[in-house]
Amino acid sequence: MRMKDQFSSRVRWVRFDACFVLPLLLLALQSFLGSQGLSAAEPAAPRKGLVATVNPVATEAGLQALRDGGNAVDAAIACALTLGVVDGHNSGLGGGCFMTLRLADGRLITLDGREMAPAAATRDLFLREGKADPLLSQDGALSVGIPGEFATLAYASTNYGRLPLGRLLEAAARVAEKGFRLDRHYVGRLKETRSQLALFPESEVIFLKGLPTVPSAGDRLRQPDLARSYRQMAAGGVAWFYRGDFARRTAEWMQAHGGVVTASDFARYEVVPREPVRGTYRGHEIVSFPPPSSGGVHVVEILNILEHFDLAAMGDGSAELAHVVAEAMKLAFADRARWLGDPDFARVPRGLVSKKYAVELAQRIRLDRASVVAAAGTPPEADREWFTRERNRHTTHFSTADTEGNWVACTASLNTSFGSKVVVPGTGLLLNNHMDDFSAQPGVPNFFGLVGAEANSIEARKRPLSSMSPTLVLRDGQPILSVGAAGGPTIISQTLLAILRTIDFKKSPREALAAPRLHHQWKPDELHVERSWGEAVIAELRRRGHTVAVDASLGAAQAVGRDAQGHWSAAADPRGEGAAGVW
Ligand code: GLY
């Protein structure tokens, strides 16, 4: 596509940082941006707003919504719809999402569009001869939860957006119809998932036969069925999806292929506005996603623990910092396995985010060596108080903001690459495999190696536990950061680290996302670090007793921010091929 090509070339220019022709390039870039209304990652002052996603075509769709008179909510919806076309292995309308919003009038809102288990789902759905079978929870009919993303986007559009949803759907339909060029990530996912996609004829036609036998970056993928579905949603709205043709076709396919999803499951799906998880960190307010995500709870829990350590004095990139952050993560992830689940079904103690509990956990951290965390802690009033439903109430992250004061952090997902691999015949819509995020059996790890307990067992109409962490940071009541990430449980770690880099180390979003990452999820007892921490830090972490696994790169995060001087900035993860833009 023309805009993608233009944008990509600009991103390559930005990466020319060390080149001696930099001043000339910057001049050329400035005039180019002026004429196109687009920007590199760190603009000073937008006319209307900022957008950051993992894909330049989706970022452009968000910017176009702003140019067309939309606000940050419209921009986020445009990004979500377009990501479902150009980044469809990660997210789409057959999946779910969480959206955290701060509206211009100061309201803070979290919309739960997580998938829901079908009514016929039972605790032992994935057990065969007493053992959990990951093939059942990860591919095909049983792996599918009732999708929530479209309901969420429609809800946000009706209540907080300005542009008609149909117009945004039509713009994304045109991208699906004309096609887009695959990036290297899409090609990599296709290659990894090829044999599973081939099991489902509809998916095979779209993703394997629709492309060269050995796809490569730059190949064009067209999705005419998906374009038609988007247009049917534009005409028929949520009724087409949840009570009409799409629900019926999905139920028919499920019945013929051993699934348990019915049309009545679709009809009963609802987006749930929930009370955000709120915490504080060194004078800043943290607003994040509540259960059924574990993200907000553990981002706040870890920040509460780390508040007891002088991270700035340790220095970013130091072994001291990596050690103490890893120790805090380990404690929080042990709690995740024990306590977290859908709050409409499980008691999730509010004490997990209390400052008092964090004191107790911080005291368990030794600075000289890695600790053994045998089990979850017991937060205050664990038996009495829990997050409740509030009626007033593989994955991608995107952030938007506008100059009116609307900020959005949204994380959307089909779960693992291409979700269940199932495309509902004739619709082009891929279905998620989020049923794998339930704990199929106590102590048995899911795709991401996460273990869970009773709180996250499978039940009819329950929502599987997530790590998605769309988060806003406020200072003096004003938003300064919208951030979140993709990558299973590392989402929590990436979001946390971006917040630390912003608050403790005063980094811009671009610098915060570029800084080295680490991740510890308690089980397995393994500390994942990016190679960029450097050999000396990695050796020191091993000396302190960590079992260290070194990764080339961890995750993909996006952010937009505004610093104390009022400068705006937006950043896509430098590990990927995303784009940040301003208009
Ligand atoms: N699909 C990953 C998550 O929701 O945590």
Side-chain angles (χ1 to χ4, degrees):
M1 294 199 52
R2 194 170 147 267
M3 285 319 297
K4 175 181 189 289
D5 294 340
Q6 288 175 351
F7 208 94
S8 299
S9 62
R10 194 177 49 266
V11 170
R12 262 182 249 120
W13 284 14
V14 171
R15 285 177 186 164
F16 253 81
D17 270 3
C19 177
F20 68 97
V21 293
L22 183 63
L24 281 178
L25 286 176
L26 286 177
L27 272 178
L29 179 61
Q30 253 179 346
S31 92
F32 175 80
L33 298 177
S35 65
Q36 298 301 315
L38 296 168
S39 159
E42 306 228 332
R47 247 183 287 176
K48 187 62 197 281
L50 302 91
V51 176
T53 83
V54 291
N55 186 289
V57 182
T59 297
E60 168 54 24
L63 293 172
Q64 188 58 45
L66 295 175
R67 285 185 209 110
D68 289 346
N71 61 16
V73 180
D74 298 303
I77 294 167
C79 293
L81 295 172
T82 310
L83 285 165
V85 176
V86 299
D87 192 52
H89 52 87
N90 274 324
S91 72
L93 300 186
C97 70
F98 292 140
M99 191 181 274
T100 303
L101 303 107
R102 188 269 187 188
L103 300 178
D105 62 10
R107 272 181 295 164
L108 295 164
I109 290 156
T110 42
L111 299 179
D112 172 2
R114 185 67 163 166
E115 293 87 341
M116 179 187 81
T122 55
R123 182 189 182 81
D124 297 341
L125 187 66
F126 300 124
L127 303 194
R128 295 294 177 268
E129 292 167 11
K131 279 181 64 181
D133 181 348
L135 289 179
L136 295 177
S137 62
Q138 289 171 18
D139 296 328
L142 291 179
S143 69
V144 178
I146 313 307
E149 180 164 337
F150 187 47
T152 309
L153 300 182
Y155 184 101
S157 174
T158 305
N159 290 287
Y160 317 118
R162 197 169 287 153
L163 298 178
L165 181 60
R167 179 171 170 172
L168 302 175
L169 278 158
E170 173 54 32
R174 282 199 296 271
V175 178
E177 194 167 56
K178 287 184 187 161
F180 68 97
R181 295 197 185 283
L182 304 187
D183 63 22
R184 66 189 164 91
H185 296 285
Y186 203 119
V187 171
R189 299 292 188 86
L190 266 176
K191 287 181 179 164
E192 280 163 26
T193 328
R194 205 180 169 84
S195 56
Q196 293 106 298
L197 285 168
L199 296 173
F200 303 98
E202 191 81 6
S203 311
E204 188 180 27
V205 167
I206 297 169
F207 299 109
L208 302 179
K209 296 198 170 145
L211 288 164
T213 316
V214 184
S216 52
D219 288 341
R220 187 175 285 272
L221 176 63
R222 293 187 177 84
Q223 299 168 90
D225 285 352
L226 186 59
R228 194 173 334 108
S229 291
Y230 271 36
R231 289 187 174 122
Q232 277 164 326
M233 283 180 250
V238 288
W240 178 83
F241 194 98
Y242 289 98
R243 293 186 296 282
D245 210 30
F246 183 67
R248 183 183 51 74
R249 284 191 200 204
T250 307
E252 281 168 10
W253 187 90
M254 289 288 170
Q255 205 176 14
H257 294 85
V260 295
V261 169
T262 64
S264 114
D265 289 323
F266 270 82
R268 291 191 64 155
Y269 186 85
E270 56 178 8
V271 56
V272 183
R274 295 190 185 269
E275 184 194 356
V277 171
R278 295 174 76 158
T280 58
Y281 182 68
R282 302 196 206 280
H284 294 73
E285 192 181 352
I286 312 296
V287 180
S288 193
F289 214 90
S293 182
S294 60
V297 169
H298 298 306
V299 165
V300 171
E301 181 182 2
I302 298 169
L303 288 172
N304 283 345
I305 298 170
L306 292 176
E307 221 169 20
H308 295 276
F309 299 88
D310 188 351
L311 302 188
M314 290 175 185
D316 199 357
S318 67
E320 288 71 22
L321 178 83
H323 170 78
V324 77
V325 172
E327 290 295 282
M329 284 177 181
K330 208 189 299 180
L331 290 161
F333 272 92
D335 284 347
R336 183 190 191 280
R338 163 74 178 83
W339 295 109
L340 268 285
D342 181 345
D344 296 344
F345 292 76
R347 298 156 72 97
V348 183
R350 214 174 263 278
L352 288 166
V353 294
S354 81
K355 296 279 187 197
K356 184 172 148 205
Y357 182 48
V359 172
E360 196 186 301
L361 295 180
Q363 282 167 351
R364 289 170 61 186
I365 293 179
R366 286 189 53 157
L367 290 177
D368 59 339
R369 66 175 162 81
S371 57
V372 175
V373 176
T378 305
E381 302 186 275
D383 58 340
R384 285 193 26 219
E385 201 182 346
W386 56 92
F387 286 94
T388 50
R389 183 177 183 133
E390 302 282 338
R391 293 302 311 195
N392 286 327
R393 73 176 160 132
H394 261 23
T395 309
T396 192
H397 177 82
F398 44 99
S399 287
T400 63
D402 65 38
T403 50
E404 294 171 47
N406 299 295
W407 287 60
V408 181
C410 186
T411 314
S413 183
L414 291 176
N415 199 21
T416 62
S417 297
F418 296 92
S420 63
K421 298 26 165 223
V422 174
V423 170
V424 180
T427 71
L429 282 159
L430 261 170
L431 296 173
N432 68 87
N433 62 348
H434 263 129
M435 291 295 286
D436 190 60
D437 271 351
F438 279 117
S439 172
Q441 217 174 8
V444 173
N446 73 356
F447 177 85
F448 295 108
L450 291 163
V451 290
E454 190 55 39
N456 191 32
S457 62
I458 305 172
E459 288 182 63
R461 303 206 171 94
K462 188 175 177 181
R463 297 181 185 213
L465 183 60
S466 172
S467 298
M468 298 192 294
S469 317
T471 299
L472 301 174
V473 178
L474 285 73
R475 186 170 45 220
D476 302 327
Q478 294 306 312
I480 62 157
L481 186 71
S482 163
V483 67
T490 72
I491 291 172
I492 296 174
S493 310
Q494 294 174 65
T495 306
L496 168 87
L497 289 167
I499 295 170
L500 296 183
R501 261 73 191 238
T502 304
I503 297 178
D504 290 276
F505 299 103
K506 316 279 180 256
K507 291 188 180 270
S508 69
R510 184 168 55 174
E511 293 164 337
L513 299 192
R517 294 186 177 142
L518 60 86
H519 171 72
H520 201 305
Q521 62 183 52
W522 178 51
K523 282 189 180 173
D525 184 3
E526 201 170 58
L527 173 57
H528 285 261
V529 297
E530 286 186 328
R531 196 180 309 287
S532 52
W533 282 96
E535 280 175 22
V537 169
I538 293 167
E540 176 58 21
L541 289 168
R542 289 198 168 112
R543 199 191 63 72
R544 290 184 192 202
H546 295 279
T547 302
V548 180
V550 181
D551 302 304
S553 98
L554 269 178
Q558 268 63 238
V560 302
R562 198 171 186 206
D563 68 18
Q565 287 70 48
H567 292 119
W568 296 82
S569 57
D573 201 310
R575 294 158 188 79
E577 296 186 7
V582 61
W583 186 77

